[in-house]
Amino acid sequence: MRQQLARLGGGAHALAIQILGNSEDAADAVHDAFAVVLAKPGAYDARKGPLRPWFLKVVRNRCLDMLRRRRATGPDPDELAAGTASPEQAAGEAERSAAITLALGTLPAERREIVILRDYLDLSYAEIAEVLGVAPGTVMSRLHRARLALKEALKAYEP
């Protein structure tokens, strides 16, 4: 199971960054999630579904715990993680990528999270439902509303 979890680290870190807003907190959340899972190896039941959505749910819950603690003691949890395009990318791609990142940052956490799970981490609706603890039909409607909100937010970044 350790090897399977190691392969999930990148996607889990990307999700945590989008929820928490910075890489350091995201790394802490993923590390804590790994520690919790490895301390309780019997917690995952393969009969209930794939490991990936289950682990992402653990990471998400850890992030939400951190946000609750942060709200009580610290800065705004909706700070946008600074994203920069690599130098190799074309100017048009870099601008589009930056606009999407900024527009995602303006969305409420619930909408930003579902877009990340589907469009960046490529989870199925059933896997997203597992991560969020909702019905697949709810995932479809939330994702639709989140994409509409993202489309509207992108209008502010059009040249």
Side-chain angles (χ1 to χ4, degrees):
M1 181 155 96
R2 285 180 188 254
Q3 291 176 340
Q4 290 174 308
L5 287 173
R7 287 191 297 263
L8 300 176
H13 190 256
L15 174 63
I17 286 173
Q18 290 301 320
I19 294 172
L20 296 171
N22 70 64
S23 186
E24 294 81 20
D25 288 347
D28 289 344
V30 173
H31 179 270
D32 290 351
F34 276 124
V36 167
V37 169
L38 292 174
K40 298 178 184 176
Y44 169 66
D45 183 359
R47 295 173 298 192
K48 292 185 178 180
L51 178 64
R52 185 176 189 206
W54 178 82
F55 181 68
L56 290 175
K57 184 175 185 174
V58 172
V59 170
R60 177 183 180 263
N61 289 340
R62 180 66 189 126
C63 290
L64 295 177
D65 290 343
M66 291 173 77
L67 284 176
R68 283 186 208 102
R69 206 172 312 118
R70 191 188 293 175
R71 280 188 191 120
T73 62
D76 182 10
D78 290 330
E79 290 177 359
L80 174 63
T84 58
S86 68
E88 296 84 31
Q89 290 180 321
E93 178 64 28
E95 287 177 20
R96 185 170 58 248
S97 177
I100 291 171
T101 300
L102 290 171
L104 267 172
T106 65
L107 298 181
E110 179 182 284
R111 289 188 176 173
R112 181 173 58 241
E113 177 179 53
I114 200 162
V115 169
I116 296 302
L117 289 170
R118 178 67 191 131
D119 296 331
Y120 285 80
L121 299 180
D122 201 30
L123 267 63
S124 69
Y125 291 160
E127 291 171 327
I128 295 169
E130 171 79 20
V131 171
L132 300 178
V134 299
T138 303
V139 169
M140 289 183 240
S141 62
R142 285 185 185 176
L143 183 59
H144 177 71
R145 286 192 301 270
R147 285 177 173 161
L148 289 176
L150 179 59
K151 181 179 177 181
E152 190 63 31
L154 279 169
K155 289 180 182 178
Y157 300 100
E158 289 178 351

